[in-house]
Amino acid sequence: MYLRVYKPTIMFFSLTNSLATFQAMMNDILKDLIGIGDVVAFIGDILIETEDKKEYNEIVEGVLKRIETNDLYVKSEKCM
């Protein structure tokens, strides 16, 4: 008889501390960008503010790479 361990690949949002856990994870993933004031993360939203378009594009690319590296994803239809 084999014992199988279930490892969830998504976070269950009906759990009590799910939002706080997710927020802490986003803060950790983006901590250096949050620290310099270019990025703000709040639950499922990531806001990016820069002085010029080139810097903005670089930060967006970096944020998307971090999201992918951490096995997260974004829905393109919700992005502006």
Side-chain angles (χ1 to χ4, degrees):
M1 184 167 144
Y2 294 100
L3 177 64
R4 293 185 182 188
V5 177
Y6 177 74
K7 181 180 176 189
T9 57
I10 60 171
M11 179 175 289
F12 300 106
F13 282 99
S14 61
L15 299 175
T16 304
N17 295 325
S18 295
L19 293 177
T21 302
F22 184 76
Q23 182 66 51
M25 179 181 67
M26 293 303 293
N27 288 344
D28 186 53
I29 291 169
L30 302 170
K31 64 184 164 196
D32 58 320
L33 295 173
I34 292 171
I36 59 174
D38 289 339
V39 174
V40 175
F42 181 72
I43 310 294
D45 296 325
I46 300 172
L47 305 174
I48 299 171
E49 180 181 9
T50 61
E51 295 291 326
D52 61 18
K53 184 81 168 168
K54 182 180 178 189
E55 183 182 5
Y56 174 81
N57 289 336
E58 290 171 0
I59 292 175
V60 168
E61 185 177 333
V63 167
L64 291 174
K65 283 181 182 177
R66 291 175 192 207
I67 288 172
E68 182 180 26
T69 301
N70 288 279
D71 295 325
L72 300 172
Y73 64 92
V74 296
K75 291 186 176 182
S76 60
E77 64 268 10
K78 292 186 177 184
C79 297
M80 293 181 165

